[in-house]
Amino acid sequence: MKYIKLLLYTLYITLILLPISCTDTLIGDEGTLDENIYANYQTITDLELPFEEEWFAVNAGRTHRNGAHHFLSRNERYAYDMLIVQNRRSYAGDGSKNEDYYCFGKRLNAPGNGKVVAIENTIEDNQPGIVNRTHVGNYIIIDHLNGETSILAHLKKGSIIVAVGDTVVKGQEIGQTGNSGASSEPHLHYHLQETSEPLSEGLGLPAQFLNYYENDVFVERSEPIRGQKVRKN
């Protein structure tokens, strides 16, 4: 009887703690409810911005207000949405074609050294304003072989020039910006996570980049936030 009571007590405590497991505590704003290991996480991989030219951060940052992806999934929690803006617009003309958008077809690079573990390269690009619910669309997953994995998503159909199993180095061209998947206009979705599965419930990780400019101010190591213009050194 004593052992049965102990078993029931253990089960009760487990059920109470289950809703506030380490993944579920990553829901706070400004890190107030985050575990310290993630609220203060320092990226292991030497990352650089995965594009040329100056880009604009539509969604970026560790808070709900800046991040936007906080409410979507745990692995996308610290994701970046980036595009190119000129004269406060992301496109020329009427914006009805992907080719109107400044970032469409732009070169994308490996943000860090690693191994390509998965790609999708066959999904059609959306017409701007019409969203295909294939989630990440065309993507590249790079395992940095240190517990961190980069995912670049919504790429242009047929633009990926690396294959599964390839070793890539930081700055190497790997594909082009597109408008595939759950995307209403051409842009780059990038996030760092602790597993190499693309649609997993793994944990997203804050991603710090090295040696770039934030609003024309040089930083040696930082994380872009929403509303910033960023470019490589």
Side-chain angles (χ1 to χ4, degrees):
M1 187 66 180
K2 178 175 69 174
Y3 295 107
I4 295 175
K5 287 183 178 179
L6 179 60
L7 179 61
L8 291 173
Y9 177 76
T10 303
L11 179 61
Y12 173 76
I13 293 299
T14 302
L15 291 173
I16 291 296
L17 293 179
L18 188 60
I20 51 171
S21 66
C22 64
T23 51
D24 286 331
T25 55
L26 297 178
I27 301 175
D29 196 12
E30 311 256 355
T32 52
L33 297 181
D34 289 5
E35 291 183 340
N36 288 336
I37 189 172
Y38 294 106
N40 303 306
Y41 187 81
Q42 297 296 305
T43 306
I44 300 169
T45 310
D46 288 340
L47 294 176
E48 71 173 22
L49 295 174
F51 41 71
E52 311 293 321
E53 305 177 52
E54 182 177 80
W55 288 54
F56 180 79
V58 178
N59 293 303
R62 297 197 184 199
T63 68
H64 289 329
R65 181 175 60 87
N66 290 327
H69 291 84
H70 289 212
F71 304 99
L72 298 180
S73 67
R74 297 178 183 123
N75 62 324
E76 296 183 34
R77 177 174 167 79
Y78 300 106
Y80 296 94
D81 286 327
M82 313 290 291
L83 47 71
I84 296 176
V85 170
Q86 296 179 13
N87 298 319
R88 300 185 179 182
R89 299 179 69 186
S90 59
Y91 60 88
D94 62 8
S96 61
K97 305 184 299 295
N98 285 318
E99 290 75 14
D100 292 340
Y101 290 77
Y102 300 122
C103 73
F104 185 72
K106 290 293 185 180
R107 167 177 172 162
L108 295 175
N109 304 324
N113 300 338
K115 181 179 180 180
V116 178
V117 294
I119 64 169
E120 172 59 63
N121 202 22
T122 63
I123 296 176
E124 296 289 342
D125 289 281
N126 304 325
Q127 180 181 342
I130 300 176
V131 177
N132 174 352
R133 295 296 176 186
T134 352
H135 195 44
V136 292
N138 299 309
Y139 61 82
I140 301 175
I141 302 179
I142 301 172
D143 189 338
H144 299 297
L145 308 177
N146 57 9
E148 295 180 344
T149 296
S150 285
I151 296 183
L152 297 88
H154 307 312
L155 275 62
K156 181 180 178 181
K157 180 186 177 182
S159 71
I160 296 173
I161 57 174
V162 292
V164 172
D166 285 356
T167 296
V168 294
V169 296
K170 180 170 59 178
Q172 176 181 337
E173 183 176 3
I174 55 176
Q176 297 176 10
T177 312
N179 188 28
S180 59
S183 172
S184 60
E185 72 169 270
H187 74 285
L188 170 66
H189 169 106
Y190 170 79
H191 74 265
L192 192 71
Q193 62 182 43
E194 47 77 64
T195 175
S196 58
E197 296 297 324
L199 303 178
S200 73
E201 284 299 310
L203 291 174
L205 302 172
Q208 291 111 38
F209 298 95
L210 304 178
N211 301 322
Y212 71 98
Y213 288 87
E214 294 178 343
N215 293 338
D216 296 324
V217 177
F218 178 75
V219 293
E220 292 185 355
R221 180 185 178 97
S222 188
E223 300 171 31
I225 61 172
R226 183 179 184 181
Q228 283 184 336
K229 297 178 295 181
V230 296
R231 71 180 191 277
K232 288 196 297 188
N233 184 22

